[in-house]
């Protein structure tokens, strides 16, 4: 009876909006206590992860992303993208996809992209005669697109939890990430034709001016991707170089941020997100430890092996499960809690660990958009003051397209693995 009351109490707290990490922590401590084990064991794995040098990359990349978002970099990069792509049908829609993906890759948080860039791009899309529903669905869907591109925080955290190379996982995400951009880009270009959106004439003077204005920010992706895959930097060293580079560019060169007034505020805001991630890691790892201690992964494998003999069928069920996980949990909690449970099962079915990581994160990208409780639906509803049902209707075609791309990524593992082998990443 006491156990039932505790479960009902935790469910009630969840429904009332208690933070998910607090619920995880309570479950972990109560579970260990019920087994007569000191709940302090929850901190053991947190200490192991905290001493991992790769963890340093998370606060550094987060600071760099927030500094870019707080500066005028979004405006400059949007101007560059408009100058380069505005002449094609749906050009501004393509601009939205590319710039949102870039900023989500840096901040690691799709909500930040929707709030910051969405507020900039949505009025411009309406002004350029894009239909409101089309535009609302576009900025909402584009918010999570950059999660597969380096230096995405979920990629780093997944590599930490799964004990795999973060550099290789960065490489594995590039082609699938580009595919997601391409399939949505095709839909957006089609929309530009169908809705007869006026095109912007390509002009060399306008393009060169936009490039000159953003000349110090355009090299950032080259610094990150090129530095890692050329073997010049590790992921952690790249994070330090990126943070320093962004600080110098935005404070000294562009002077968008004041060193004494703005930089401490940006540090504080970005580290709040990092602190939240570390809290989630701590309590979720505790819950994971308990599940492993109770041999839950072993039992799950035995169950799946009894009813599922084909890796193809396993991947179908895995995708459906992960979409639901993406709806119900934030991406950091999902990585910490779910990855240790499914990784041994996927290994048993012969699924490559890097391919699994990309499948996992792609599903969670889509889960952010999936009704009834996808996080980005509510972020978009709040930012643009639209009913949630209107946002759901607007993202429906985008979800369908992303699901088709997910099937391609799932069943053609070479899309995730080819670049890892070709680059010979260590």
């Amino acid at each position: 009876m006491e156990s039932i009351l505790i479960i009902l109490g935790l469910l009630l707290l969840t429904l009332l909006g208690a933070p998910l990490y607090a619920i995880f922590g309570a479950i972990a401590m109560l579970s260990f206590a019920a087994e007569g084990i000191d709940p302090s064991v929850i901190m053991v794995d947190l200490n192991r992860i905290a001493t991992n040098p790769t963890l340093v990359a998370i606060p550094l990349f987060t600071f760099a992303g927030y500094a870019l978002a707080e500066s005028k970099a979004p405006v400059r990069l949007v101007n560059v993208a408009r100058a380069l792509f505005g002449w094609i049908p749906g050009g501004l829609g393509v601009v939205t996809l590319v710039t949102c993906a870039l900023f989500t890759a840096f901040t690691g948080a799709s909500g930040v992209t929707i709030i910051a860039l969405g507020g900039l791009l949505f009025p411009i899309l309406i002004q350029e005669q894009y239909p409101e529903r089309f535009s609302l669905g576009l900025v909402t869907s584009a918010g999570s697109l950059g999660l597969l591109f380096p230096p995405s925080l979920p990629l780093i955290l997944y590599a930490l939890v799964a004990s795999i190379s973060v550099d290789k996982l960065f490489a594995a995400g590039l082609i699938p990430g580009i595919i997601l951009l391409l399939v949505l880009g095709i839909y957006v270009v089609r929309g530009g034709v169908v809705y007869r959106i006026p095109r912007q004439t390509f002009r060399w003077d306008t393009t060169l001016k936009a490039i000159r204005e953003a000349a110090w920010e355009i090299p950032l992706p080259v610094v990150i991707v090129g530095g890692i895959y050329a073997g010049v930097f590790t992921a952690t060293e790249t994070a330090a170089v990126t943070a320093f580079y962004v600080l110098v560019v935005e404070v000294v060169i562009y002077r968008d941020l004041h060193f004494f007034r703005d930089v401490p505020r940006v540090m504080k805001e970005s580290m709040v997100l990092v602190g939240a991630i570390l809290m989630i890691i701590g309590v979720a790892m505790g819950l994971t430890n308990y599940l492993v201690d109770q041999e839950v992964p072993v039992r799950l494998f035995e169950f799946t092996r009894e009813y599922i003999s084909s890796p193809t069928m396993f991947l179908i069920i895995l995708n459906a499960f992960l979409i639901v996980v993406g709806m119900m949990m934030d991406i950091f909690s999902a990585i910490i809690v779910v990855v240790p449970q499914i990784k041994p099962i996927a290994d048993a079915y012969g699924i490559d660990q890097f391919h699994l990581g990309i499948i996992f994160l792609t599903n969670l990208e889509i889960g952010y958009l999936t009704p009834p409780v996808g996080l980005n639906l509510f972020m978009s509803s709040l930012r643009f003051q639209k009913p949630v049902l209107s946002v759901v209707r607007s993202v429906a075609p985008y979800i369908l397209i992303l699901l088709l791309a997910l099937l391609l990524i799932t069943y053609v593992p070479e899309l995730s693995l080819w670049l890892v082998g070709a680059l010979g990443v260590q």
Side-chain angles (χ1 to χ4, degrees):
M1 183 64 182
E2 183 179 346
S3 299
I4 295 175
L5 289 176
I6 290 174
I7 292 171
L8 290 175
L10 291 173
L11 285 174
L12 179 60
L13 287 173
T14 304
L15 293 173
L16 291 175
L20 202 56
Y21 69 82
I23 302 299
F24 287 157
I27 294 173
M29 287 189 290
L30 290 169
S31 299
F32 277 119
E35 297 290 328
I37 301 173
D38 190 330
S40 63
V41 300
I42 291 173
M43 293 297 103
V44 173
D45 264 350
L46 179 60
N47 179 68
R48 177 180 60 82
I49 288 182
T51 57
N52 190 315
T54 305
L55 188 68
V56 178
I58 292 180
L60 290 171
F61 277 133
T62 304
F63 168 73
Y66 271 70
L68 287 171
E70 289 289 325
S71 69
K72 295 179 182 177
V75 175
R76 288 190 288 269
L77 292 175
V78 166
N79 289 339
V80 171
R82 288 186 75 179
L84 291 173
F85 304 115
W87 60 273
I88 65 176
L92 185 57
V94 174
V95 169
T96 301
L97 291 174
V98 172
T99 53
C100 284
L102 176 64
F103 267 81
T104 301
F106 272 96
T107 63
S110 59
V112 173
T113 301
I114 291 173
I115 298 297
L117 273 182
L120 170 67
L121 289 164
F122 184 70
I124 300 176
L125 287 164
I126 300 300
Q127 182 182 343
E128 295 290 328
Q129 302 178 32
Y130 286 81
E132 182 176 276
R133 180 182 292 186
F134 180 89
S135 303
L136 184 60
L138 175 59
V139 294
T140 305
S141 305
S144 61
L145 276 183
L147 294 181
L148 294 183
F149 293 121
S152 163
L153 300 186
L155 281 173
I156 297 172
L157 185 58
Y158 185 100
L160 280 171
V161 173
S163 299
I164 60 178
S165 165
V166 65
D167 295 350
K168 288 185 177 181
L169 193 60
F170 278 173
L174 283 175
I175 293 177
I178 291 171
I179 288 173
L180 296 179
L181 278 177
L182 284 176
V183 293
L184 287 183
I186 292 170
Y187 177 74
V188 167
V189 169
R190 174 187 172 278
V193 174
V194 170
Y195 299 121
R196 299 180 179 179
I197 306 298
R199 303 188 203 180
Q200 176 179 311
T201 304
F202 180 83
R203 296 181 55 182
W204 278 108
D205 57 342
T206 303
T207 302
L208 292 175
K209 179 184 177 182
I211 290 174
R212 279 196 301 269
E213 289 176 351
W216 288 96
E217 290 151 339
I218 292 173
L220 264 174
V222 178
V223 170
I224 294 171
V225 178
I228 291 175
Y229 301 133
V232 179
F233 308 122
T234 65
T236 304
E237 291 167 343
T238 301
V241 171
T242 301
F244 179 75
Y245 182 89
V246 168
L247 184 65
V248 171
V249 167
E250 304 304 338
V251 173
V252 178
I253 297 177
Y254 288 120
R255 299 183 180 180
D256 290 342
L257 301 177
H258 189 278
F259 186 80
F260 296 105
R261 183 180 63 248
D262 297 320
V263 172
R265 174 178 55 82
V266 173
M267 285 182 174
K268 177 183 175 182
E269 292 175 357
S270 60
M271 291 310 105
V272 166
L273 174 61
V274 173
I277 294 172
L278 293 178
M279 290 177 68
I280 290 169
I281 290 175
V283 296
M285 283 300 294
L287 178 57
T288 298
N289 285 342
Y290 176 77
L291 295 174
V292 172
D293 186 61
Q294 296 299 308
E295 298 183 339
V296 171
V298 175
R299 295 176 185 178
L300 283 173
F301 173 63
E302 290 174 350
F303 175 82
T304 53
R305 186 173 58 180
E306 182 177 352
Y307 295 100
I308 304 170
S309 59
S310 165
T312 301
M313 183 57 64
F314 168 72
L315 287 173
I316 291 174
I317 295 174
L318 178 65
N319 279 329
F321 168 70
L322 291 176
I323 290 287
V324 175
V325 168
M327 280 193 293
M328 305 299 294
M329 299 171 66
D330 68 89
I331 195 165
F332 303 111
S333 298
I335 290 171
I336 298 293
V337 174
V338 178
V339 171
Q341 315 308 317
I342 65 171
K343 187 174 180 289
I345 304 173
D347 287 342
Y349 281 101
I351 297 168
D352 184 90
Q353 54 190 344
F354 297 101
H355 184 214
L356 176 67
I358 301 308
I359 293 172
F360 187 97
L361 294 174
T362 304
N363 272 283
L364 265 61
E365 280 193 24
I366 300 171
Y368 269 156
L369 302 172
T370 307
V373 288
L375 178 63
N376 282 9
L377 302 176
F378 296 95
M379 295 293 294
S380 185
S381 173
L382 176 68
R383 179 63 183 85
F384 304 114
Q385 299 182 346
K386 302 292 181 183
V388 174
L389 286 178
S390 296
V391 180
V392 170
R393 286 194 293 269
S394 72
V395 300
Y398 296 91
I399 292 175
L400 179 60
I401 293 169
L402 289 172
L403 287 173
L404 293 174
L406 171 63
L407 290 176
L408 181 65
I409 292 168
T410 299
Y411 293 110
V412 186
E414 290 78 11
L415 296 174
S416 301
L417 303 178
W418 177 80
L419 199 56
V420 177
L423 293 174
V425 183
Q426 297 300 314

